[in-house]
Amino acid sequence: GQNIDQPTEMTATEGAIVQINCTYQTSGFNGLFWYQQHAGEAPTFLSYNVLDGLEEKGRFSSFLSRSKGYSYLLLKELQMKDSASYLCAVINQAGTALIFGKGTTLSVSS
Amino acid sequence: GAVVSQHPSWVICKSGTSVKIECRSLDFQATTMFWYRQFPKQSLMLMATSNEGSKATYEQGVEKDKFLINHASLTLSTLTVTSAHPEDSSFYICSASKRGVVPRGNEQFFGPGTRLTVL
């Protein structure tokens, strides 16, 4: 089967840096995704990692270690609009769809 | 771009009635569409995967007779919640993929969701 673990909630202040961790167990690996979802809205794509290492994209970076079944999303220079749920997702065992973790709700305060 | 729409954006219905939700890919052909359900403060739970012209593949625990999925064209998939009950109240989100197989990178595009409330 597959299992994805993320912290349920995190808080941070404007301008700070926050790291959201995700650990996964899956048979076969075809990449790990991070999505951002504001309440009542559809998820929006942030990143996709299939090889080990850090991928930087503006204020957001995503890291993957396949041997450890571990990824993190790093958000720099936090802004109030970054308050959202961050979803870690991997491709299912059949290789046909995304399976999402429960998401981490990030609250950014001033 | 790659835009996916859903209709309606919200619906309220009485218990026992059926509700149809449409998912459309507006500017691309979607070989595969996915239906998710999301309860408050929970993550997206995959319900089923549908490929154009064939029967949907349902996830374990999802009743195929209750959640009817039709993917009649490359731009439209519908989810019908039959004999809806209050416990079916949820946020239903569809997504569409340009690829016929599992998406890579930013290849899966989500609709804005449909909020279903069953009284």
Side-chain angles (χ1 to χ4, degrees), chain B residues 69-96:
Chain B
I69 291 172
N70 185 286
H71 192 163
S73 77
L74 285 171
T75 59
L76 173 65
S77 176
T78 60
L79 167 68
T80 301
V81 183
T82 62
S83 187
H85 288 97
E87 57 265 30
D88 297 323
S89 298
S90 187
F91 192 50
Y92 292 86
I93 302 178
C94 75
S95 68

Tab-separated table of all heavy atoms in Angstrom, chain B residues 69-96:
chain	number	residue	atom	x	y	z
B	69	ILE	N	-19.994	7.574	-13.144
B	69	ILE	CA	-19.069	8.432	-13.889
B	69	ILE	C	-19.164	8.099	-15.366
B	69	ILE	O	-19.118	6.941	-15.768
B	69	ILE	CB	-17.628	8.243	-13.379
B	69	ILE	CG1	-17.512	8.813	-11.963
B	69	ILE	CG2	-16.622	8.929	-14.318
B	69	ILE	CD1	-16.195	8.518	-11.277
B	70	ASN	N	-19.290	9.153	-16.151
B	70	ASN	CA	-19.354	9.014	-17.605
B	70	ASN	C	-18.328	9.943	-18.232
B	70	ASN	O	-18.261	11.112	-17.897
B	70	ASN	CB	-20.767	9.370	-18.089
B	70	ASN	CG	-20.916	9.133	-19.576
B	70	ASN	OD1	-20.408	9.887	-20.399
B	70	ASN	ND2	-21.608	8.059	-19.918
B	71	HIS	N	-17.520	9.394	-19.115
B	71	HIS	CA	-16.492	10.199	-19.788
B	71	HIS	C	-16.698	10.013	-21.285
B	71	HIS	O	-15.959	9.285	-21.941
B	71	HIS	CB	-15.118	9.700	-19.334
B	71	HIS	CG	-13.983	10.601	-19.723
B	71	HIS	ND1	-12.750	10.522	-19.133
B	71	HIS	CD2	-13.887	11.583	-20.635
B	71	HIS	CE1	-11.942	11.402	-19.667
B	71	HIS	NE2	-12.600	12.064	-20.572
B	72	ALA	N	-17.737	10.670	-21.776
B	72	ALA	CA	-18.211	10.411	-23.132
B	72	ALA	C	-17.363	11.079	-24.206
B	72	ALA	O	-17.393	10.664	-25.367
B	72	ALA	CB	-19.657	10.865	-23.263
B	73	SER	N	-16.639	12.122	-23.840
B	73	SER	CA	-15.822	12.805	-24.848
B	73	SER	C	-14.500	13.203	-24.226
B	73	SER	O	-14.310	13.078	-23.019
B	73	SER	CB	-16.538	14.049	-25.374
B	73	SER	OG	-16.456	15.104	-24.437
B	74	LEU	N	-13.597	13.681	-25.050
B	74	LEU	CA	-12.276	14.055	-24.567
B	74	LEU	C	-12.267	15.360	-23.788
B	74	LEU	O	-11.225	15.779	-23.290
B	74	LEU	CB	-11.295	14.157	-25.747
B	74	LEU	CG	-10.839	12.816	-26.314
B	74	LEU	CD1	-10.062	13.022	-27.601
B	74	LEU	CD2	-9.981	12.066	-25.304
B	75	THR	N	-13.411	16.001	-23.677
B	75	THR	CA	-13.458	17.259	-22.949
B	75	THR	C	-14.500	17.264	-21.835
B	75	THR	O	-14.674	18.273	-21.149
B	75	THR	CB	-13.755	18.442	-23.898
B	75	THR	OG1	-15.012	18.209	-24.548
B	75	THR	CG2	-12.650	18.601	-24.941
B	76	LEU	N	-15.192	16.162	-21.645
B	76	LEU	CA	-16.278	16.174	-20.655
B	76	LEU	C	-16.352	14.851	-19.896
B	76	LEU	O	-16.382	13.777	-20.481
B	76	LEU	CB	-17.621	16.433	-21.341
B	76	LEU	CG	-18.878	16.300	-20.459
B	76	LEU	CD1	-18.882	17.364	-19.367
B	76	LEU	CD2	-20.140	16.392	-21.320
B	77	SER	N	-16.388	14.989	-18.575
B	77	SER	CA	-16.688	13.850	-17.712
B	77	SER	C	-17.765	14.291	-16.735
B	77	SER	O	-17.787	15.453	-16.307
B	77	SER	CB	-15.434	13.405	-16.946
B	77	SER	OG	-15.747	12.364	-16.041
B	78	THR	N	-18.664	13.400	-16.402
B	78	THR	CA	-19.712	13.742	-15.435
B	78	THR	C	-19.700	12.755	-14.284
B	78	THR	O	-19.415	11.560	-14.460
B	78	THR	CB	-21.106	13.748	-16.083
B	78	THR	OG1	-21.381	12.449	-16.606
B	78	THR	CG2	-21.199	14.784	-17.195
B	79	LEU	N	-20.005	13.276	-13.118
B	79	LEU	CA	-20.167	12.461	-11.913
B	79	LEU	C	-21.596	12.659	-11.435
B	79	LEU	O	-22.019	13.788	-11.206
B	79	LEU	CB	-19.190	12.917	-10.825
B	79	LEU	CG	-19.433	12.383	-9.406
B	79	LEU	CD1	-19.162	10.877	-9.351
B	79	LEU	CD2	-18.546	13.099	-8.390
B	80	THR	N	-22.346	11.576	-11.321
B	80	THR	CA	-23.709	11.651	-10.814
B	80	THR	C	-23.760	10.970	-9.465
B	80	THR	O	-23.436	9.776	-9.358
B	80	THR	CB	-24.702	10.988	-11.780
B	80	THR	OG1	-24.621	11.639	-13.057
B	80	THR	CG2	-26.125	11.109	-11.248
B	81	VAL	N	-24.143	11.721	-8.463
B	81	VAL	CA	-24.341	11.162	-7.128
B	81	VAL	C	-25.804	10.747	-7.049
B	81	VAL	O	-26.699	11.601	-7.064
B	81	VAL	CB	-24.009	12.200	-6.027
B	81	VAL	CG1	-24.143	11.577	-4.650
B	81	VAL	CG2	-22.601	12.756	-6.230
B	82	THR	N	-26.045	9.454	-7.016
B	82	THR	CA	-27.419	8.970	-7.032
B	82	THR	C	-27.927	8.789	-5.606
B	82	THR	O	-27.172	8.428	-4.702
B	82	THR	CB	-27.523	7.633	-7.782
B	82	THR	OG1	-26.727	6.666	-7.088
B	82	THR	CG2	-27.016	7.765	-9.204
B	83	SER	N	-29.215	9.058	-5.429
B	83	SER	CA	-29.851	8.911	-4.118
B	83	SER	C	-28.958	9.506	-3.020
B	83	SER	O	-28.516	8.809	-2.103
B	83	SER	CB	-30.134	7.433	-3.830
B	83	SER	OG	-30.888	7.288	-2.649
B	84	ALA	N	-28.697	10.779	-3.176
B	84	ALA	CA	-27.762	11.449	-2.265
B	84	ALA	C	-28.287	11.472	-0.833
B	84	ALA	O	-29.493	11.593	-0.591
B	84	ALA	CB	-27.512	12.866	-2.757
B	85	HIS	N	-27.358	11.349	0.098
B	85	HIS	CA	-27.669	11.431	1.517
B	85	HIS	C	-26.780	12.477	2.175
B	85	HIS	O	-25.746	12.857	1.607
B	85	HIS	CB	-27.482	10.069	2.180
B	85	HIS	CG	-28.531	9.080	1.806
B	85	HIS	ND1	-28.339	8.147	0.816
B	85	HIS	CD2	-29.791	8.897	2.269
B	85	HIS	CE1	-29.435	7.419	0.697
B	85	HIS	NE2	-30.332	7.852	1.557
B	86	PRO	N	-27.156	12.951	3.341
B	86	PRO	CA	-26.348	13.997	3.981
B	86	PRO	C	-24.865	13.650	4.099
B	86	PRO	O	-24.014	14.540	4.000
B	86	PRO	CB	-27.015	14.134	5.355
B	86	PRO	CG	-28.446	13.809	5.103
B	86	PRO	CD	-28.404	12.692	4.077
B	87	GLU	N	-24.549	12.385	4.281
B	87	GLU	CA	-23.136	12.007	4.409
B	87	GLU	C	-22.366	12.148	3.089
B	87	GLU	O	-21.125	12.053	3.085
B	87	GLU	CB	-22.987	10.577	4.945
B	87	GLU	CG	-23.677	9.518	4.135
B	87	GLU	CD	-25.065	9.192	4.665
B	87	GLU	OE1	-25.719	10.085	5.240
B	87	GLU	OE2	-25.488	8.031	4.491
B	88	ASP	N	-23.087	12.371	2.004
B	88	ASP	CA	-22.429	12.609	0.713
B	88	ASP	C	-22.046	14.076	0.549
B	88	ASP	O	-21.378	14.437	-0.428
B	88	ASP	CB	-23.347	12.211	-0.447
B	88	ASP	CG	-23.682	10.730	-0.440
B	88	ASP	OD1	-22.792	9.924	-0.084
B	88	ASP	OD2	-24.831	10.379	-0.764
B	89	SER	N	-22.474	14.900	1.474
B	89	SER	CA	-22.117	16.319	1.427
B	89	SER	C	-20.596	16.445	1.497
B	89	SER	O	-19.963	15.948	2.431
B	89	SER	CB	-22.759	17.068	2.595
B	89	SER	OG	-24.168	17.004	2.515
B	90	SER	N	-20.051	17.114	0.511
B	90	SER	CA	-18.595	17.192	0.428
B	90	SER	C	-18.217	18.167	-0.682
B	90	SER	O	-19.077	18.736	-1.353
B	90	SER	CB	-18.013	15.807	0.133
B	90	SER	OG	-16.596	15.815	0.204
B	91	PHE	N	-16.919	18.345	-0.845
B	91	PHE	CA	-16.377	19.152	-1.932
B	91	PHE	C	-15.845	18.160	-2.970
B	91	PHE	O	-14.972	17.350	-2.657
B	91	PHE	CB	-15.245	20.026	-1.365
B	91	PHE	CG	-14.760	21.131	-2.263
B	91	PHE	CD1	-15.639	22.007	-2.866
B	91	PHE	CD2	-13.399	21.317	-2.476
B	91	PHE	CE1	-15.192	23.041	-3.676
B	91	PHE	CE2	-12.934	22.352	-3.281
B	91	PHE	CZ	-13.834	23.211	-3.879
B	92	TYR	N	-16.411	18.199	-4.153
B	92	TYR	CA	-16.011	17.272	-5.213
B	92	TYR	C	-15.154	18.022	-6.226
B	92	TYR	O	-15.566	19.052	-6.766
B	92	TYR	CB	-17.242	16.663	-5.888
B	92	TYR	CG	-18.000	15.727	-4.974
B	92	TYR	CD1	-18.969	16.220	-4.087
B	92	TYR	CD2	-17.735	14.352	-4.962
B	92	TYR	CE1	-19.641	15.370	-3.232
B	92	TYR	CE2	-18.408	13.504	-4.101
B	92	TYR	CZ	-19.361	14.019	-3.243
B	92	TYR	OH	-20.018	13.170	-2.384
B	93	ILE	N	-13.974	17.492	-6.466
B	93	ILE	CA	-13.030	18.150	-7.380
B	93	ILE	C	-12.650	17.181	-8.489
B	93	ILE	O	-12.341	16.017	-8.223
B	93	ILE	CB	-11.744	18.578	-6.641
B	93	ILE	CG1	-12.061	19.525	-5.485
B	93	ILE	CG2	-10.770	19.240	-7.602
B	93	ILE	CD1	-10.823	19.935	-4.695
B	94	CYS	N	-12.669	17.669	-9.699
B	94	CYS	CA	-12.200	16.854	-10.804
B	94	CYS	C	-10.853	17.383	-11.279
B	94	CYS	O	-10.482	18.531	-11.001
B	94	CYS	CB	-13.190	16.850	-11.961
B	94	CYS	SG	-13.209	18.375	-12.921
B	95	SER	N	-10.128	16.539	-11.939
B	95	SER	CA	-8.910	17.001	-12.590
B	95	SER	C	-8.778	16.290	-13.922
B	95	SER	O	-9.374	15.233	-14.140
B	95	SER	CB	-7.673	16.761	-11.721
B	95	SER	OG	-7.416	15.383	-11.608
B	96	ALA	N	-8.028	16.881	-14.795
B	96	ALA	CA	-7.874	16.339	-16.136
B	96	ALA	C	-6.409	16.293	-16.503
B	96	ALA	O	-5.637	17.196	-16.148
B	96	ALA	CB	-8.648	17.190	-17.140
